[in-house]
Amino acid sequence: MQKPDGLPAEIDLSRPSAARVYDYFLGGAHNFEIDRQLAEQIASMTPNLAGTMRAGREFLRRAVRVLLHAGVDQFLDIGSGIPTVGNVHEVAQSVNPKARIIYVDIDPVAVAHSRELLAGNDLTGVIQADLRDPGHILAEARALNLLDFDRPLGILLAGVVHFVPDDSRPGDVLATLRAAAAPGSHLVISHSTFEDQPREMLDAQRLSARTDTEITLRSRAEITGFFGDWTLLEPGLVHMPLWRPDAASDVDDKPEQFGAFGGVARYGRSAG
């Protein structure tokens, strides 16, 4: 496959990328034929998967708005993927033009496109790093001098912790990130689950083994543990459409169909 101009030489276009498959499902333009082929194979098994991706993005947007209302004006978005319409900086800066955001992703394509798309936005930064090395993420974030870790921070982990296998100790990873945050900070997590899922959804999610990052499905109890002793905001850890929907009509009679839980927790007693 011929590599498009402008892409880093180390990018391997012989394998699909999880970030690019995700971009495809969200309607983005930063994906390649090999990504689209895998996406279409997955979609043929689970026709509502594009809706699942959109549900995850809508959950993240609602969570960011809640954090802004709580006074949080700086965000560390880990596993951000390729910025598409309605990403965190667009949501946050439409409410607070001074909001600051650092995007973190392991995929060099996601990082390259992020830097290109965010050029000229001095209140955003981009880091290429692996969630499994939270110390490196924190050091790089501090080096950018965009975020003040002595003030409340929004740590966003939307659809990324399930890419960390159990042998990489995701609980320790999350503990390191929580320990770096000041009181009043919030942690946002959405995570794929095997609970309440039909067989075809589980089979489709196992196709992730063909990308560089395989998905580990976890239970509600396991995901809840990632919040540590932080206080979960109402309604707790729930199927994504049930987390503070904008309108009751946004939730159908099968919110579990999207295969993931979402929740938000606050460091310290919750104010709402």
Side-chain angles (χ1 to χ4, degrees):
M1 180 182 299
Q2 184 172 353
K3 188 164 294 184
D5 293 339
L7 289 184
E10 66 271 17
I11 293 176
D12 181 6
L13 294 186
S14 67
R15 286 176 57 86
S17 155
R20 298 192 305 257
V21 170
Y22 183 52
D23 175 72
Y24 174 79
F25 279 120
L26 288 176
H30 306 297
N31 50 77
F32 306 114
E33 182 61 27
I34 193 145
D35 309 304
R36 295 189 284 272
Q37 289 175 357
L38 178 58
E40 291 297 336
Q41 183 180 354
I42 296 172
S44 71
M45 299 174 64
T46 54
N48 70 330
L49 192 58
T52 297
M53 301 298 183
R54 290 192 292 269
R57 182 54 57 92
E58 288 301 323
F59 161 73
L60 177 60
R61 291 171 184 162
R62 294 194 304 274
V64 168
R65 290 197 297 265
V66 167
L67 268 58
L68 289 161
H69 181 72
V72 176
D73 61 1
Q74 50 178 1
F75 301 87
L76 182 62
D77 184 0
I78 304 175
S80 53
I82 300 169
T84 56
V85 175
N87 215 307
V88 172
H89 72 282
E90 294 179 347
V91 175
Q93 292 176 352
S94 69
V95 175
N96 181 351
K98 296 183 179 180
R100 297 170 179 261
I101 301 92
I102 290 180
Y103 290 113
V104 183
D105 205 276
I106 191 174
D107 191 312
V109 170
V111 170
H113 282 297
S114 296
R115 287 174 174 158
E116 178 183 3
L117 293 169
L118 296 171
N121 188 330
D122 294 337
L123 298 181
T124 63
V126 183
I127 296 170
Q128 182 177 348
D130 190 331
L131 173 58
R132 293 171 295 182
D133 189 356
H136 175 66
I137 291 174
L138 294 168
E140 291 291 306
R142 290 187 171 100
L144 288 180
N145 202 30
L146 274 174
L147 308 181
D148 182 353
F149 283 85
D150 293 327
R151 297 177 54 248
L153 173 68
I155 302 173
L156 312 179
L157 295 165
V160 64
V161 182
H162 51 227
F163 291 125
V164 180
D166 291 337
D167 60 10
S168 292
R169 305 178 66 87
D172 292 347
V173 169
L174 269 291
T176 298
L177 293 173
R178 294 195 309 270
S185 294
H186 289 69
L187 176 60
V188 177
I189 298 175
S190 60
H191 192 300
S192 294
T193 183
F194 56 79
E195 293 188 11
D196 307 321
Q197 296 308 299
R199 173 56 54 189
E200 59 268 21
M201 175 64 80
L202 300 180
D203 289 343
Q205 288 177 309
R206 291 189 180 100
L207 282 176
S208 68
R210 289 181 50 195
T211 73
D212 293 330
T213 43
E214 183 176 358
I215 290 175
T216 299
L217 303 176
R218 295 188 172 97
S219 67
R220 185 198 301 263
E222 289 175 299
I223 301 165
T224 298
F226 293 144
F227 292 99
D229 60 356
W230 290 24
T231 303
L232 276 167
L233 275 58
E234 292 295 335
L237 185 70
V238 295
H239 291 293
M240 294 186 298
L242 298 176
W243 199 89
R244 303 196 183 189
D246 293 327
S249 60
D250 293 341
V251 183
D252 65 16
D253 59 353
K254 293 183 178 180
E256 72 279 2
Q257 68 181 302
F258 299 120
F261 291 120
V264 179
R266 184 180 188 274
Y267 179 14
R269 186 175 299 277
S270 173

